[in-house]
Amino acid sequence: MVNLVLQALETRQNTLCIAPTGAGKTIIMSSLIEEILQLGQKALVLQHRQELIIQNAQSFRKVTKGLSTSVVNAERKDFERDVVFAMVPTLDRRQQPLPHFDLVAVDEAHHSVASSWKKLIKKLQTENPALKVIGFTATPNRGDKKGLSEIFDHVADQIMLGELVNSGSLAPPRTLAIQLDEDSQKLLKALYWTPRGKPKKGLNGARMLKKAGEILDKNFYNEEVFRHWKEQAQTRKTVIFCSNVLHAQSIENTFNAQGVSTGHINGQMSMKDRSQTLRDFQKGRLQVITNVAVLTKGWDCPDVECIILLRPSSYKSTMIQMVGRGLRPHPGKKDCLILDFGLSSRVHGSLEQDVKLYSEKKQALKKCRKCKALMKRSLSTCPECGYVHLATEEEIYALNPEPPKFYQRLTLQDSWMVAPPTPKQMNYLRDSDVDPQDRYEASAYLSYLFKEEELSQMRQKLIAIH
């Protein structure tokens, strides 16, 4: 991946690296920054969470030699070093001008098209037109279907999860889809599908979690979750993703009541309490930890061997992030068991992702007829090979559908509304299932085809597709 990124940046200003959780993105990013930065140059690493700034800065120093690092957060504002680690909101609030940067590395790059991220990156690009931008993400496809092409229009490399499992770099996932009972199953299905079995459009994640909490947060179901966990994963260190905070706390209480040391964290807890709970879990003082979404990104505990999904996932990327918490390798770890009570695995299927850089709603693309590269439909010249696309007769017909109704108001007096058709025009009429003997219909059709462009013959003028 490192070599492919370096090759891409020789001719491009940006590129994207895609790799699953556990692929070592921090090490790859650190190696790339060390390779790219020249003497006197400066790099900015954008993070999405406060805890990751210091964590990744420490990891960077372990991997690289000769580059100094600094951190910009609420407590410190140090821009003096070679590589600066910072969060977008912190930089967005800064009143003074930012220093000159030669390279920007965007961690969790699927955030890059969020308004504040995009604004900052565009500002840095304006101040330095030669700025290089590298993105790193495990989930390039955003849940809102918004593509990353405004910031990244090229993918240097994508490492597939299967590759890492086969090489031993990740633990293989083993998924069990568990149905609590028919009533809960029907209610959960209704979150994803219509009564006729069609997928619902525009799924609202917050609304789904609220309804899932109402369905699943019942004492009977909580006891059933514990029973299944005890049967399948009693000895495994476990992370449980729940539908809401109350649900997560109910599961915590259920497991503790059964004698299993269990903790809970959420976004409202103080940083001190969260850190202490995570330390207890990592040190083995807790076997199970519950949360809603706090642990989906940027947190690692390699000896986790079981993930429980007690919530729906409106987006595939969310499911991948949650499962990814259990895929890091660890001595003695054979696999990661996924107990799915929320239908995520059934809805989203494989943990692999197809990359879509362009927004689905705006993905007006076509293939170049010559080099087969994807290009915007609005372009007539291929940006890759320079081939000029001219309309075929079929495309002209597609651009000119049935004659509009106003032609039906035209009158005829035993004469053509336009000059009599040439032999070629007669062929066009026959090919279009228009009777040349029906002067009214034939005249209206030919007049419609030639009126705007004043074409004497369709083959003599080709229209570029726009």
Side-chain angles (χ1 to χ4, degrees):
M1 177 176 277
V2 172
N3 290 334
L4 290 173
V5 172
L6 295 174
Q7 290 174 17
L9 292 181
E10 289 178 1
T11 57
R12 295 178 176 274
Q13 296 300 110
N14 69 78
T15 194
L16 186 64
C17 306
I18 302 169
T21 300
K25 290 190 292 293
T26 303
I27 295 175
I28 295 171
M29 178 174 65
S30 302
S31 300
L32 277 167
I33 293 174
E34 187 176 33
E35 287 281 346
I36 294 170
L37 277 195
Q38 299 178 5
L39 185 65
Q41 290 187 328
K42 206 174 191 67
L44 172 66
V45 180
L46 296 178
Q47 311 275 183
H48 76 291
R49 277 179 44 192
Q50 182 78 14
E51 301 97 303
L52 295 179
I53 295 176
I54 297 176
Q55 177 183 312
N56 285 346
Q58 292 172 344
S59 299
F60 182 90
R61 288 193 290 270
K62 292 178 182 178
V63 174
T64 62
K65 297 178 181 179
L67 289 178
S68 58
T69 63
S70 60
V71 169
V72 174
N73 56 22
E75 293 78 29
R76 287 182 276 177
K77 301 288 188 295
D78 184 358
F79 287 94
E80 301 303 318
R81 308 298 180 179
D82 299 323
V83 183
V84 178
F85 289 78
M87 285 179 62
V88 169
T90 307
L91 300 180
D92 197 38
R93 291 191 296 266
R94 181 179 168 83
Q95 300 296 323
Q96 299 86 356
L98 292 172
H100 177 94
F101 288 105
D102 303 280
L103 174 68
V104 172
V106 185
D107 193 17
E108 303 293 350
H110 48 278
H111 293 296
S112 63
V113 290
S115 57
S116 57
W117 289 63
K118 183 168 62 176
K119 177 183 174 183
L120 174 64
I121 295 171
K122 293 290 186 183
K123 179 181 178 182
L124 294 172
Q125 289 173 325
T126 301
E127 293 173 354
N128 178 17
L131 180 73
K132 302 288 188 181
V133 183
I134 316 172
F136 302 86
T137 182
T139 52
N141 300 332
R142 291 167 56 96
D144 59 6
K145 311 301 182 185
K146 192 172 184 180
L148 307 184
S149 59
E150 291 182 81
I151 303 297
F152 300 102
D153 58 11
H154 178 262
V155 177
D157 192 17
Q158 178 180 11
I159 301 174
M160 307 301 284
L161 186 144
E163 296 177 49
L164 297 178
V165 170
N166 291 336
S167 67
S169 301
L170 288 182
R174 181 163 61 90
T175 302
L176 296 180
I178 299 173
Q179 177 178 321
L180 289 172
D181 62 16
E182 290 187 8
D183 291 338
S184 67
Q185 193 78 354
K186 287 179 182 178
L187 293 171
L188 288 172
K189 284 181 179 179
L191 299 179
Y192 290 106
W193 294 285
T194 67
R196 294 185 176 184
K198 294 183 179 180
K200 287 185 176 180
K201 296 181 179 179
L203 296 175
N204 184 300
R207 191 180 300 123
M208 290 180 72
L209 289 176
K210 181 181 177 181
K211 290 184 178 179
E214 295 170 357
I215 297 167
L216 295 173
D217 191 8
K218 294 180 171 61
N219 289 334
F220 170 73
Y221 290 151
N222 295 342
E223 295 288 346
E224 280 295 287
V225 169
F226 176 80
R227 182 178 68 81
H228 282 285
W229 175 82
K230 186 176 180 180
E231 290 178 358
Q232 302 288 344
Q234 183 176 7
T235 61
R236 294 177 181 241
K237 201 167 189 175
T238 302
V239 177
I240 305 178
F241 292 92
C242 302
S243 299
N244 55 48
V245 173
L246 291 177
H247 186 204
Q249 291 171 338
S250 296
I251 293 292
E252 176 195 18
N253 293 336
T254 299
F255 274 65
N256 278 322
Q258 296 290 341
V260 178
S261 56
T262 303
H264 163 74
I265 64 169
N266 62 62
Q268 283 71 50
M269 292 172 63
S270 68
M271 184 66 68
K272 180 180 179 181
D273 290 341
R274 277 167 57 179
S275 299
Q276 183 60 52
T277 302
L278 289 175
R279 276 196 297 272
D280 288 343
F281 182 71
Q282 290 171 324
K283 295 292 185 181
R285 292 187 284 269
L286 295 173
Q287 184 184 354
V288 178
I289 191 167
T290 70
N291 78 113
V292 178
V294 173
L295 300 180
T296 55
K297 300 176 184 177
W299 173 77
D300 296 318
C301 186
D303 57 343
V304 168
E305 293 184 275
C306 178
I307 301 292
I308 297 181
L309 304 181
L310 274 178
R311 49 161 289 176
S313 303
S314 54
Y315 306 140
K316 183 174 183 175
S317 57
T318 304
M319 180 189 75
I320 292 173
Q321 293 281 10
M322 291 189 293
V323 171
R325 297 309 105 197
L327 298 185
R328 288 189 180 274
H330 190 264
K333 182 176 178 179
K334 295 181 179 179
D335 60 23
C336 178
L337 179 63
I338 316 299
L339 302 182
D340 181 11
F341 294 84
L343 299 180
S344 293
S345 56
R346 176 176 174 181
V347 173
H348 300 298
S350 167
L351 294 174
E352 305 287 13
Q353 284 208 96
D354 296 325
V355 183
K356 299 176 182 178
L357 290 183
Y358 293 90
S359 302
E360 287 190 10
K361 295 180 180 178
K362 300 178 180 178
Q363 216 169 21
L365 303 175
K366 62 182 179 183
K367 277 188 179 181
C368 172
R369 293 178 197 149
K370 185 177 181 181
C371 70
K372 306 303 180 184
L374 284 177
M375 56 186 284
K376 292 182 180 179
R377 187 171 292 280
S378 59
L379 299 177
S380 58
T381 303
C382 175
E384 295 291 335
C385 69
Y387 180 77
V388 178
H389 293 71
L390 299 176
T392 63
E393 291 171 15
E394 291 79 8
E395 290 167 333
I396 292 175
Y397 283 130
L399 292 174
N400 296 276
E402 291 299 316
K405 291 182 178 179
F406 71 83
Y407 277 114
Q408 299 177 10
R409 298 196 295 268
L410 298 176
T411 60
L412 282 175
Q413 297 179 1
D414 293 331
S415 64
W416 291 89
M417 286 187 287
V418 293
T422 65
K424 288 185 178 181
Q425 292 169 350
M426 290 286 284
N427 290 334
Y428 286 134
L429 291 173
R430 292 191 184 96
D431 292 341
S432 303
D433 292 326
V434 176
D435 183 7
Q437 302 303 318
D438 186 341
R439 290 188 175 186
Y440 177 83
E441 185 180 4
S443 296
Y445 192 73
L446 288 174
S447 177
Y448 173 72
L449 287 178
F450 302 134
K451 184 176 184 296
E452 293 296 324
E453 297 295 335
E454 296 180 352
L455 302 177
S456 60
Q457 295 183 15
M458 287 182 67
R459 292 184 187 275
Q460 291 179 1
K461 185 164 179 74
L462 294 176
I463 306 170
I465 295 293
H466 292 292

